[in-house]
Amino acid sequence: MEEPQEHNHNHNHNHNHQDPPKSSTAPLSPTCVKCGGPCSFPPPPTQSQWSEISPPPIYRPIRSPAINLPPNTNSQAIILAPVPQSQKVPTISLPHTFQSPSKKIQSPDDIRRFINSDSSKNFLGFVVALSESIRAHKISDSCHESTTLKNIVSVIESLVHWIEEIPPVQQSYRYGNISYRTWHNRLVENSENLMLQFLPDNLKSSTVEIVPYFTDSFGNSSRIDYGTGHETNFAAWLYCLARMGIIEEVDYQAVVSRVFVKYIELMRKLQSVYNLEPAGSHGVWGLDDYHFLPFIFGSSQLIDHKYMKPKSIHNEDILENFSNEYMYLSCILLIKKVKKGLFAEHSPLLDDISGVPNWKKVNSGLLKMYRAEVLEKVPIMQHFLFGSLIQWE
């Protein structure tokens, strides 16, 4: 077998090449394994050439010791922010002039103006109040169910039935089945009649204002996508009903356990049947591709639970047996079914949250995160609507 040409040795072992220049930090010249003389091959890397952060490739773990946060995160600001508090919804006095809502937010300055406004504080206070209403309650627990709420649930059930009447078409691309547009068009055409199923006579004129919130709660028909902005519009629609006195505080538990749970059921069906794209997803660094509020309400359900802790999401038996009663577990179970690979890799934020000692801390942290990651984000809130019920101040 021939010697490699770079090996500058003759049979008499005469070494004609010069020694490499010496320096105070350079290692000794490499020696030939056959004759012991110096050779021209570069020296092997020594430990000092690798930083402590990045050891030699042979020692590099498959997944780096996880600091499960994206670059430039504002997590510290979220941690230091005060926990949002529940607030009573200020109801309107009749007669009231309703108006068609419009978009107002276009810049970070607009976001700051909104966040500092009473409209923002009252809306977020409503979300917190809904969260508190379901605290330590299972979905199936009995609660006050008004005729109005039962009618609202039947409206959402109608939207579920429409999916069965409008099957997805065969198409070559995976995401965004165009049959969703047919479903959404039917929603827009019938939305006013759907509202009239539960609006009292003295509030029928409110359709001009509440219909746009409602039709924007189920995704975007041109992009065929859905995200936390649409989910926030559904919460805003509920808030408008509360401002009109249609929803009262005594209804809040049923708003979450009956109305919102039915809404999530509808959205999951829309996502799976029509393959809706996630709108503005943070990818691996987000909480979830589509939702945020069920994590808030679901964590509230589990506060002070005797057996289930945040780390219980890693117990498959718990997920299978209790996901029908607890929204948080339902969300985790769905994620584990639709995403492949290790949970810590495709959902690092949720994996980190599972290490929090109790559900109360999880709930308060998620409320702060909802304000920072949804209500303070221009790409999401640029689509938010303002009228007479949620005013632009």
Short mmCIF file of all heavy atoms in Angstrom, two decimals, residues 52 56 82 110 203 231 259 264 354 369:
data_model
loop_
_atom_site.label_atom_id
_atom_site.label_comp_id
_atom_site.label_asym_id
_atom_site.label_seq_id
_atom_site.Cartn_x
_atom_site.Cartn_y
_atom_site.Cartn_z
N GLU A 52 -15.67 25.94 26.62
CA GLU A 52 -16.43 25.12 27.56
C GLU A 52 -17.87 24.98 27.13
O GLU A 52 -18.54 24.01 27.43
CB GLU A 52 -16.35 25.75 28.96
CG GLU A 52 -14.96 25.69 29.57
CD GLU A 52 -14.95 26.31 30.96
OE1 GLU A 52 -16.02 26.69 31.44
OE2 GLU A 52 -13.87 26.39 31.54
N PRO A 56 -15.81 19.25 22.18
CA PRO A 56 -15.57 18.57 20.90
C PRO A 56 -16.82 17.84 20.45
O PRO A 56 -17.62 17.39 21.27
CB PRO A 56 -14.44 17.58 21.24
CG PRO A 56 -13.77 18.15 22.44
CD PRO A 56 -14.82 18.87 23.20
N PRO A 82 -47.08 42.75 36.87
CA PRO A 82 -48.11 42.38 37.85
C PRO A 82 -49.12 41.41 37.26
O PRO A 82 -49.35 41.41 36.05
CB PRO A 82 -48.77 43.73 38.18
CG PRO A 82 -48.51 44.58 36.99
CD PRO A 82 -47.18 44.15 36.44
N ASP A 110 -49.80 52.57 19.21
CA ASP A 110 -51.22 52.24 19.35
C ASP A 110 -51.43 51.16 20.40
O ASP A 110 -52.40 51.19 21.16
CB ASP A 110 -51.80 51.79 18.00
CG ASP A 110 -51.82 52.90 16.97
OD1 ASP A 110 -51.86 54.08 17.36
OD2 ASP A 110 -51.77 52.59 15.75
N LEU A 203 -82.45 44.85 22.13
CA LEU A 203 -81.02 44.84 21.77
C LEU A 203 -80.75 44.29 20.37
O LEU A 203 -79.61 44.03 20.01
CB LEU A 203 -80.23 44.03 22.81
CG LEU A 203 -80.07 44.66 24.19
CD1 LEU A 203 -79.47 43.68 25.18
CD2 LEU A 203 -79.20 45.93 24.13
N GLU A 231 -59.31 33.78 18.38
CA GLU A 231 -59.79 33.34 19.69
C GLU A 231 -60.09 34.54 20.58
O GLU A 231 -61.10 34.56 21.31
CB GLU A 231 -58.72 32.45 20.34
CG GLU A 231 -59.09 31.89 21.69
CD GLU A 231 -57.91 31.19 22.34
OE1 GLU A 231 -56.96 31.88 22.77
OE2 GLU A 231 -57.94 29.95 22.43
N VAL A 259 -70.25 27.24 26.92
CA VAL A 259 -70.08 28.00 25.67
C VAL A 259 -68.65 27.88 25.14
O VAL A 259 -68.44 27.49 23.98
CB VAL A 259 -70.45 29.49 25.87
CG1 VAL A 259 -70.17 30.28 24.59
CG2 VAL A 259 -71.91 29.63 26.27
N ILE A 264 -64.33 25.60 21.54
CA ILE A 264 -63.06 24.89 21.31
C ILE A 264 -63.31 23.60 20.53
O ILE A 264 -62.53 23.23 19.64
CB ILE A 264 -62.36 24.59 22.65
CG1 ILE A 264 -61.88 25.90 23.29
CG2 ILE A 264 -61.18 23.64 22.46
CD1 ILE A 264 -60.83 26.64 22.51
N SER A 354 -44.42 22.65 32.99
CA SER A 354 -44.72 21.46 33.80
C SER A 354 -43.82 21.36 35.02
O SER A 354 -44.10 20.60 35.95
CB SER A 354 -44.59 20.19 32.95
OG SER A 354 -43.23 19.90 32.67
N MET A 369 -48.63 36.26 30.52
CA MET A 369 -48.13 35.94 29.18
C MET A 369 -49.18 36.27 28.11
O MET A 369 -48.82 36.74 27.02
CB MET A 369 -47.78 34.45 29.13
CG MET A 369 -47.05 34.03 27.89
SD MET A 369 -46.59 32.28 28.01
CE MET A 369 -46.13 31.97 26.32
#
